[in-house]
Coordinates of all heavy atoms in Angstrom, one line a residue:
M16 N -12.5 0.6 1.2 CA -11.3 0.2 1.9 C -10.3 1.4 2.0 O -9.8 1.7 3.1 CB -10.7 -1.1 1.3 CG -9.4 -1.5 1.9 SD -8.6 -2.9 1.3 CE -9.9 -4.1 1.3
W17 N -10.0 1.9 0.9 CA -9.0 3.0 0.8 C -9.8 4.3 1.2 O -10.9 4.5 0.8 CB -8.4 3.2 -0.5 CG -7.5 2.1 -0.9 CD1 -7.8 0.9 -1.5 CD2 -6.1 1.9 -0.6 NE1 -6.7 0.1 -1.7 CE2 -5.7 0.7 -1.1 CE3 -5.2 2.7 0.0 CZ2 -4.3 0.2 -1.0 CZ3 -3.8 2.3 0.1 CH2 -3.4 1.0 -0.4
K18 N -9.1 5.2 1.9 CA -9.7 6.4 2.3 C -8.6 7.5 2.0 O -7.4 7.3 2.2 CB -10.2 6.5 3.7 CG -9.0 6.3 4.7 CD -9.6 6.3 6.1 CE -8.4 6.0 7.1 NZ -8.8 5.5 8.3
E19 N -9.0 8.7 1.5 CA -8.1 9.7 1.2 C -8.2 10.6 2.4 O -9.2 11.1 2.9 CB -8.5 10.5 0.0 CG -7.4 11.4 -0.5 CD -7.6 12.0 -2.0 OE1 -8.3 11.3 -2.7 OE2 -7.1 13.0 -2.2
Q20 N -7.0 10.8 3.0 CA -6.9 11.7 4.2 C -5.4 12.2 4.2 O -4.5 11.6 4.0 CB -7.1 10.7 5.4 CG -6.9 11.4 6.7 CD -7.1 10.3 7.9 OE1 -7.1 9.1 7.7 NE2 -7.0 10.8 9.1
D21 N -5.4 13.6 4.6 CA -4.1 14.3 4.6 C -3.2 14.1 3.4 O -2.0 13.8 3.4 CB -3.3 13.8 5.9 CG -4.0 13.9 7.2 OD1 -4.7 15.0 7.3 OD2 -4.0 13.0 8.1
N22 N -3.8 14.2 2.2 CA -3.2 14.1 1.0 C -2.5 12.7 0.7 O -1.4 12.6 0.1 CB -2.1 15.2 0.8 CG -2.7 16.5 0.6 OD1 -3.7 16.6 -0.1 ND2 -2.2 17.6 1.2
K23 N -3.1 11.7 1.3 CA -2.6 10.3 1.2 C -3.8 9.4 1.0 O -4.9 9.6 1.5 CB -1.8 9.9 2.4 CG -0.6 10.6 2.5 CD 0.2 10.2 3.8 CE 1.5 10.8 4.1 NZ 1.7 12.2 3.6
L24 N -3.6 8.3 0.2 CA -4.6 7.2 0.2 C -4.1 6.2 1.3 O -3.0 5.8 1.3 CB -4.6 6.5 -1.2 CG -5.4 7.1 -2.3 CD1 -5.2 6.1 -3.5 CD2 -6.8 7.2 -1.9
K25 N -5.0 5.9 2.2 CA -4.6 5.1 3.4 C -5.5 3.8 3.4 O -6.7 3.9 3.1 CB -4.7 5.9 4.6 CG -3.7 7.0 4.7 CD -3.9 7.7 6.1 CE -2.9 8.8 6.2 NZ -3.1 9.5 7.5
A26 N -4.9 2.7 3.8 CA -5.7 1.5 4.1 C -4.9 0.6 5.1 O -3.7 0.6 5.1 CB -5.9 0.7 2.8
D27 N -5.7 -0.2 5.9 CA -5.2 -1.2 6.8 C -5.6 -2.5 6.3 O -6.8 -2.7 5.9 CB -5.6 -0.9 8.2 CG -5.1 0.5 8.8 OD1 -4.0 0.8 8.5 OD2 -5.9 1.2 9.4
F28 N -4.7 -3.5 6.4 CA -5.0 -4.9 5.9 C -4.6 -5.8 7.1 O -3.6 -5.7 7.6 CB -4.2 -5.2 4.7 CG -4.4 -4.2 3.5 CD1 -3.6 -3.1 3.4 CD2 -5.4 -4.5 2.6 CE1 -3.9 -2.3 2.3 CE2 -5.6 -3.7 1.6 CZ -4.9 -2.5 1.4
E29 N -5.6 -6.7 7.5 CA -5.4 -7.6 8.5 C -5.4 -9.0 8.0 O -6.2 -9.4 7.2 CB -6.5 -7.4 9.6 CG -6.2 -8.2 10.9 CD -7.2 -7.8 11.9 OE1 -7.6 -6.6 12.2 OE2 -7.7 -8.8 12.6
F30 N -4.5 -9.8 8.5 CA -4.2 -11.2 8.0 C -4.3 -12.1 9.2 O -4.3 -11.7 10.4 CB -2.8 -11.3 7.3 CG -2.8 -10.4 6.1 CD1 -2.3 -9.1 6.2 CD2 -3.3 -10.8 4.9 CE1 -2.3 -8.2 5.1 CE2 -3.2 -10.0 3.8 CZ -2.8 -8.7 3.9
D31 N -4.2 -13.4 8.9 CA -4.3 -14.4 10.0 C -3.1 -14.3 11.0 O -3.3 -14.6 12.2 CB -4.4 -15.8 9.4 CG -5.7 -16.0 8.8 OD1 -6.7 -15.4 9.1 OD2 -5.8 -16.9 7.9
D32 N -1.9 -14.0 10.4 CA -0.7 -14.0 11.3 C 0.4 -13.2 10.6 O 0.2 -12.6 9.5 CB -0.2 -15.5 11.5 CG 0.0 -16.3 10.3 OD1 0.3 -15.7 9.2 OD2 -0.2 -17.5 10.3
F33 N 1.5 -13.2 11.2 CA 2.7 -12.4 10.7 C 3.1 -12.9 9.3 O 3.5 -12.1 8.5 CB 3.8 -12.4 11.7 CG 5.0 -11.6 11.2 CD1 5.1 -10.3 11.2 CD2 6.1 -12.4 10.8 CE1 6.2 -9.6 10.8 CE2 7.3 -11.7 10.3 CZ 7.3 -10.3 10.3
V34 N 3.2 -14.2 9.1 CA 3.7 -14.7 7.9 C 2.8 -14.3 6.8 O 3.3 -13.9 5.7 CB 3.8 -16.3 8.0 CG1 4.2 -16.9 6.7 CG2 4.9 -16.6 9.0
A35 N 1.5 -14.4 6.9 CA 0.6 -13.9 5.9 C 0.7 -12.5 5.6 O 0.8 -12.0 4.4 CB -0.9 -14.3 6.2
A36 N 0.9 -11.7 6.6 CA 1.1 -10.2 6.4 C 2.3 -9.9 5.7 O 2.5 -9.1 4.8 CB 1.1 -9.5 7.8
F37 N 3.4 -10.6 6.0 CA 4.7 -10.4 5.4 C 4.7 -10.9 3.9 O 5.3 -10.2 3.1 CB 5.9 -11.1 6.2 CG 7.2 -10.7 5.7 CD1 7.8 -9.7 6.3 CD2 7.9 -11.5 4.7 CE1 9.1 -9.2 5.9 CE2 9.1 -11.2 4.4 CZ 9.8 -10.0 5.0
G38 N 4.0 -12.0 3.7 CA 3.8 -12.4 2.3 C 3.1 -11.4 1.5 O 3.5 -11.1 0.3
F39 N 2.1 -10.8 2.0 CA 1.4 -9.7 1.3 C 2.3 -8.6 1.0 O 2.3 -8.0 -0.1 CB 0.2 -9.3 2.2 CG -0.5 -8.0 1.7 CD1 -1.4 -8.1 0.6 CD2 -0.4 -6.9 2.4 CE1 -2.0 -6.9 0.2 CE2 -1.0 -5.7 1.9 CZ -1.8 -5.7 0.9
M40 N 3.1 -8.2 2.0 CA 4.1 -7.0 1.8 C 5.1 -7.4 0.7 O 5.5 -6.5 -0.1 CB 4.8 -6.7 3.1 CG 3.9 -6.1 4.2 SD 4.8 -5.8 5.7 CE 5.8 -4.4 5.2
T41 N 5.5 -8.7 0.6 CA 6.4 -9.1 -0.5 C 5.7 -8.9 -1.8 O 6.4 -8.4 -2.8 CB 6.9 -10.5 -0.2 OG1 7.5 -10.6 1.1 CG2 7.8 -10.9 -1.3
Q42 N 4.5 -9.3 -1.9 CA 3.8 -9.2 -3.2 C 3.6 -7.7 -3.6 O 3.8 -7.3 -4.8 CB 2.4 -9.9 -3.1 CG 2.4 -11.3 -3.0 CD 1.1 -11.9 -2.9 OE1 0.3 -11.6 -1.9 NE2 0.7 -12.7 -3.9
V43 N 3.2 -6.9 -2.6 CA 3.1 -5.5 -2.9 C 4.5 -4.8 -3.3 O 4.5 -4.0 -4.2 CB 2.6 -4.7 -1.6 CG1 2.6 -3.1 -1.8 CG2 1.2 -5.2 -1.3
A44 N 5.5 -5.3 -2.7 CA 6.9 -4.7 -3.0 C 7.2 -5.0 -4.4 O 7.7 -4.1 -5.1 CB 8.0 -5.3 -2.1
L45 N 6.9 -6.2 -4.9 CA 7.2 -6.5 -6.3 C 6.4 -5.7 -7.3 O 6.9 -5.2 -8.3 CB 6.9 -8.0 -6.6 CG 7.8 -8.9 -5.8 CD1 7.3 -10.4 -6.0 CD2 9.3 -8.8 -6.2
I46 N 5.1 -5.5 -7.0 CA 4.3 -4.6 -7.8 C 4.7 -3.1 -7.8 O 4.9 -2.5 -8.8 CB 2.8 -4.7 -7.4 CG1 2.2 -6.1 -7.6 CG2 2.0 -3.6 -8.0 CD1 0.9 -6.3 -7.0
A47 N 5.1 -2.7 -6.6 CA 5.5 -1.3 -6.4 C 6.8 -1.0 -7.2 O 7.0 0.0 -7.8 CB 5.7 -1.0 -4.9
E48 N 7.7 -2.0 -7.1 CA 9.0 -1.9 -7.8 C 8.7 -1.8 -9.4 O 9.3 -1.0 -10.1 CB 9.9 -3.0 -7.5 CG 11.3 -2.9 -8.0 CD 12.1 -1.7 -7.6 OE1 11.8 -1.1 -6.5 OE2 13.0 -1.3 -8.2
K49 N 7.9 -2.6 -9.9 CA 7.6 -2.6 -11.3 C 7.0 -1.3 -11.7 O 7.2 -0.8 -12.8 CB 6.5 -3.7 -11.6 CG 7.2 -5.1 -11.9 CD 6.1 -6.0 -12.4 CE 6.8 -7.4 -12.6 NZ 5.7 -8.4 -13.1
M50 N 6.1 -0.7 -10.8 CA 5.4 0.6 -11.1 C 6.4 1.8 -10.8 O 6.0 2.9 -11.0 CB 4.1 0.7 -10.4 CG 3.2 -0.4 -10.8 SD 1.6 -0.3 -9.7 CE 0.8 1.1 -10.5
N51 N 7.5 1.5 -10.1 CA 8.4 2.5 -9.7 C 7.6 3.6 -8.8 O 7.7 4.8 -9.0 CB 9.1 3.2 -10.8 CG 10.3 4.1 -10.3 OD1 11.0 3.7 -9.3 ND2 10.6 5.2 -11.0
H52 N 6.8 3.0 -7.9 CA 6.0 3.9 -7.0 C 5.9 3.1 -5.7 O 5.2 2.1 -5.6 CB 4.6 4.1 -7.7 CG 3.9 5.1 -7.0 ND1 4.3 6.4 -6.8 CD2 2.6 5.1 -6.5 CE1 3.4 7.1 -6.1 NE2 2.3 6.4 -6.0
H53 N 6.5 3.6 -4.7 CA 6.7 2.9 -3.5 C 5.9 3.4 -2.3 O 5.9 4.7 -2.1 CB 8.2 2.8 -3.2 CG 9.1 2.3 -4.3 ND1 9.6 3.2 -5.2 CD2 9.4 1.1 -4.6 CE1 10.3 2.4 -6.1 NE2 10.1 1.2 -5.8
P54 N 5.3 2.6 -1.6 CA 4.4 3.0 -0.5 C 5.1 3.4 0.8 O 6.3 2.9 1.0 CB 3.6 1.8 -0.2 CG 4.5 0.6 -0.5 CD 5.3 1.1 -1.8
T55 N 4.5 4.1 1.6 CA 4.9 4.3 3.0 C 4.0 3.2 3.8 O 2.8 3.3 3.6 CB 4.6 5.7 3.5 OG1 5.3 6.6 2.7 CG2 5.0 5.8 5.0
W56 N 4.7 2.4 4.6 CA 3.9 1.4 5.2 C 4.5 0.9 6.6 O 5.7 1.2 6.8 CB 3.7 0.2 4.3 CG 4.9 -0.5 3.7 CD1 6.2 -0.3 4.0 CD2 4.9 -1.5 2.8 NE1 7.0 -1.1 3.4 CE2 6.3 -1.9 2.5 CE3 3.9 -2.2 2.1 CZ2 6.6 -2.9 1.6 CZ3 4.3 -3.2 1.2 CH2 5.6 -3.5 1.0
T57 N 3.7 0.3 7.3 CA 4.1 -0.3 8.6 C 3.5 -1.7 8.7 O 2.5 -2.0 8.1 CB 3.7 0.5 9.8 OG1 2.3 0.7 9.9 CG2 4.4 1.9 9.9
N58 N 4.1 -2.5 9.5 CA 3.6 -3.8 9.8 C 3.8 -4.1 11.3 O 4.9 -4.0 11.8 CB 4.4 -4.9 9.0 CG 4.2 -6.3 9.5 OD1 5.1 -7.0 9.9 ND2 2.9 -6.7 9.4
T59 N 2.7 -4.4 11.9 CA 2.7 -4.9 13.3 C 1.9 -6.2 13.3 O 0.7 -6.3 13.1 CB 2.0 -3.9 14.2 OG1 2.6 -2.6 14.0 CG2 2.1 -4.3 15.7
Y60 N 2.7 -7.3 13.6 CA 2.2 -8.6 13.6 C 1.4 -9.0 12.5 O 1.9 -9.2 11.4 CB 1.4 -8.9 15.0 CG 1.0 -10.4 15.0 CD1 1.8 -11.5 14.9 CD2 -0.4 -10.6 15.1 CE1 1.4 -12.7 14.9 CE2 -0.9 -12.0 15.2 CZ 0.1 -13.0 15.1 OH -0.4 -14.3 15.0
N61 N 0.0 -8.9 12.5 CA -0.8 -9.4 11.4 C -1.5 -8.2 10.6 O -2.3 -8.5 9.8 CB -1.9 -10.3 11.9 CG -2.9 -9.6 12.7 OD1 -2.7 -8.6 13.4 ND2 -4.2 -10.2 12.7
T62 N -1.0 -7.0 10.9 CA -1.7 -5.8 10.3 C -0.6 -5.1 9.5 O 0.5 -4.7 10.0 CB -2.2 -4.9 11.3 OG1 -3.2 -5.7 12.1 CG2 -3.0 -3.7 10.7
V63 N -1.0 -4.7 8.2 CA -0.2 -3.9 7.4 C -0.9 -2.6 7.1 O -2.1 -2.7 6.6 CB 0.1 -4.6 6.0 CG1 1.0 -3.7 5.1 CG2 1.0 -5.9 6.2
S64 N -0.3 -1.4 7.4 CA -0.9 -0.2 7.1 C -0.1 0.5 6.0 O 1.1 0.6 6.0 CB -0.9 0.7 8.3 OG -1.6 0.1 9.4
I65 N -0.9 1.0 5.0 CA -0.2 1.5 3.7 C -0.7 2.9 3.6 O -2.0 3.2 3.7 CB -0.5 0.7 2.5 CG1 0.1 -0.7 2.7 CG2 0.1 1.3 1.2 CD1 -0.3 -1.7 1.6
A66 N 0.2 3.8 3.2 CA -0.2 5.2 2.8 C 0.5 5.5 1.5 O 1.7 5.3 1.4 CB 0.3 6.2 3.9
L67 N -0.3 6.0 0.5 CA 0.2 6.2 -0.8 C 0.1 7.8 -1.1 O -1.0 8.3 -0.9 CB -0.6 5.5 -1.9 CG -0.6 3.9 -1.7 CD1 -1.6 3.3 -2.7 CD2 0.8 3.4 -1.8
S68 N 1.2 8.3 -1.6 CA 1.1 9.7 -2.1 C 2.3 9.8 -3.2 O 3.2 8.9 -3.1 CB 1.3 10.7 -1.1 OG 2.5 10.6 -0.4
T69 N 2.2 10.7 -4.0 CA 3.2 10.8 -5.1 C 4.2 12.0 -4.7 O 3.8 13.1 -4.7 CB 2.6 11.2 -6.5 OG1 1.6 10.1 -6.7 CG2 3.6 11.2 -7.6
H70 N 5.4 11.6 -4.3 CA 6.4 12.5 -3.8 C 6.8 13.5 -4.9 O 6.9 14.7 -4.6 CB 7.6 11.7 -3.3 CG 7.3 10.6 -2.3 ND1 6.7 10.9 -1.1 CD2 7.4 9.4 -2.4 CE1 6.5 9.8 -0.4 NE2 6.9 8.8 -1.2
D71 N 6.9 13.1 -6.1 CA 7.3 13.9 -7.3 C 6.4 15.0 -7.5 O 6.7 16.0 -8.1 CB 7.5 13.1 -8.6 CG 8.6 12.1 -8.4 OD1 9.4 12.2 -7.5 OD2 8.8 11.3 -9.3
A72 N 5.0 14.8 -7.1 CA 3.9 15.8 -7.4 C 3.7 16.6 -6.1 O 2.7 17.3 -6.0 CB 2.7 15.0 -7.8
G73 N 4.6 16.6 -5.2 CA 4.4 17.4 -3.9 C 3.7 16.7 -2.8 O 3.0 17.3 -2.0
D74 N 3.8 15.3 -2.8 CA 3.2 14.6 -1.8 C 1.7 14.7 -1.7 O 1.1 14.9 -0.7 CB 3.8 14.8 -0.4 CG 5.2 14.3 -0.2 OD1 5.4 13.1 -0.7 OD2 6.0 14.9 0.4
I75 N 1.1 14.6 -2.9 CA -0.4 14.5 -3.0 C -0.8 13.2 -3.7 O 0.1 12.5 -4.2 CB -0.9 15.7 -3.8 CG1 -0.3 15.8 -5.3 CG2 -0.6 17.1 -3.1 CD1 -1.0 16.7 -6.2
V76 N -2.1 13.0 -3.7 CA -2.7 11.8 -4.3 C -2.8 12.0 -5.8 O -3.4 13.1 -6.2 CB -4.0 11.4 -3.6 CG1 -4.6 10.2 -4.4 CG2 -3.8 11.1 -2.2
T77 N -2.2 11.2 -6.6 CA -2.3 11.3 -8.0 C -2.8 9.9 -8.6 O -3.1 9.0 -7.9 CB -1.0 11.6 -8.7 OG1 -0.1 10.5 -8.5 CG2 -0.4 12.9 -8.1
D78 N -3.0 9.9 -9.9 CA -3.4 8.7 -10.6 C -2.5 7.5 -10.3 O -2.9 6.4 -10.2 CB -3.5 9.0 -12.1 CG -4.1 7.8 -12.9 OD1 -5.2 7.4 -12.4 OD2 -3.6 7.4 -13.9
K79 N -1.2 7.8 -10.1 CA -0.2 6.7 -9.8 C -0.6 6.0 -8.5 O -0.5 4.8 -8.4 CB 1.2 7.3 -9.6 CG 1.9 7.7 -10.8 CD 3.2 8.4 -10.5 CE 4.4 7.5 -10.9 NZ 5.7 8.1 -10.6
D80 N -1.1 6.7 -7.5 CA -1.5 6.2 -6.2 C -2.8 5.3 -6.4 O -2.9 4.2 -5.9 CB -1.8 7.3 -5.2 CG -0.6 8.2 -5.0 OD1 0.5 7.7 -4.7 OD2 -0.6 9.4 -5.4
H81 N -3.7 5.9 -7.2 CA -4.9 5.1 -7.4 C -4.6 3.8 -8.2 O -5.3 2.7 -7.9 CB -6.0 5.9 -8.2 CG -6.6 7.0 -7.3 ND1 -7.6 6.7 -6.3 CD2 -6.3 8.3 -7.3 CE1 -7.9 7.8 -5.8 NE2 -7.2 8.8 -6.3
K82 N -3.7 3.8 -9.1 CA -3.4 2.6 -9.9 C -2.7 1.6 -8.9 O -2.9 0.4 -9.0 CB -2.4 3.0 -11.0 CG -3.1 3.6 -12.2 CD -2.2 4.0 -13.3 CE -2.9 4.7 -14.5 NZ -2.0 5.1 -15.5
L83 N -1.7 2.1 -8.1 CA -1.1 1.2 -7.2 C -2.2 0.6 -6.2 O -2.1 -0.6 -5.9 CB 0.0 1.8 -6.4 CG 0.8 1.0 -5.5 CD1 1.3 -0.3 -6.1 CD2 2.0 1.7 -4.9
A84 N -3.1 1.4 -5.7 CA -4.0 0.9 -4.7 C -5.0 -0.2 -5.4 O -5.2 -1.2 -4.8 CB -5.0 2.1 -4.3
K85 N -5.2 0.0 -6.7 CA -6.1 -0.9 -7.4 C -5.3 -2.3 -7.5 O -5.8 -3.3 -7.4 CB -6.4 -0.4 -8.8 CG -7.7 -0.8 -9.3 CD -8.1 -0.2 -10.6 CE -9.1 1.0 -10.2 NZ -9.7 1.5 -11.4
A86 N -4.0 -2.2 -7.9 CA -3.2 -3.3 -8.0 C -3.1 -4.1 -6.7 O -3.1 -5.3 -6.6 CB -1.8 -3.0 -8.5
I87 N -3.0 -3.3 -5.6 CA -2.9 -4.0 -4.3 C -4.1 -4.7 -3.9 O -4.2 -5.8 -3.5 CB -2.5 -2.9 -3.2 CG1 -1.1 -2.4 -3.4 CG2 -2.7 -3.4 -1.8 CD1 -0.7 -1.2 -2.6
D88 N -5.3 -4.1 -4.2 CA -6.6 -4.7 -4.0 C -6.7 -6.0 -4.7 O -7.4 -6.9 -4.2 CB -7.7 -3.8 -4.4 CG -7.9 -2.6 -3.4 OD1 -7.3 -2.7 -2.3 OD2 -8.6 -1.6 -3.8
K89 N -6.2 -6.1 -5.9 CA -6.2 -7.4 -6.7 C -5.5 -8.5 -6.0 O -5.8 -9.7 -6.3 CB -5.7 -7.2 -8.0 CG -6.6 -6.3 -8.9 CD -6.1 -6.2 -10.3 CE -6.9 -5.3 -11.2 NZ -6.4 -5.1 -12.5
L90 N -4.6 -8.3 -5.1 CA -3.9 -9.3 -4.4 C -4.8 -10.0 -3.2 O -4.5 -11.1 -2.8 CB -2.7 -8.7 -3.6 CG -1.6 -8.1 -4.5 CD1 -0.5 -7.5 -3.7 CD2 -1.0 -9.2 -5.4
L91 N -5.8 -9.3 -2.9 CA -6.7 -9.9 -1.8 C -7.7 -10.9 -2.3 O -8.2 -10.9 -3.3 CB -7.3 -8.6 -1.1 CG -6.4 -7.7 -0.5 CD1 -7.2 -6.5 0.0 CD2 -5.5 -8.3 0.6

């Protein structure tokens, strides 16, 4: 599901509707805040696109990104 591209971990998630997509984003936001590691993301109707990189490390993919991706996957 996640692919590493342009020094980012990227994934797209599709849901039944906007409410389900927004609920997913809310859950991700709570996890990201606890981890103090926040995604770059967009939402268009039922699709959420997420890109993860570690800004403190020079915008590259680090263990923090892989940990957050793993936590996000557990929500599905």
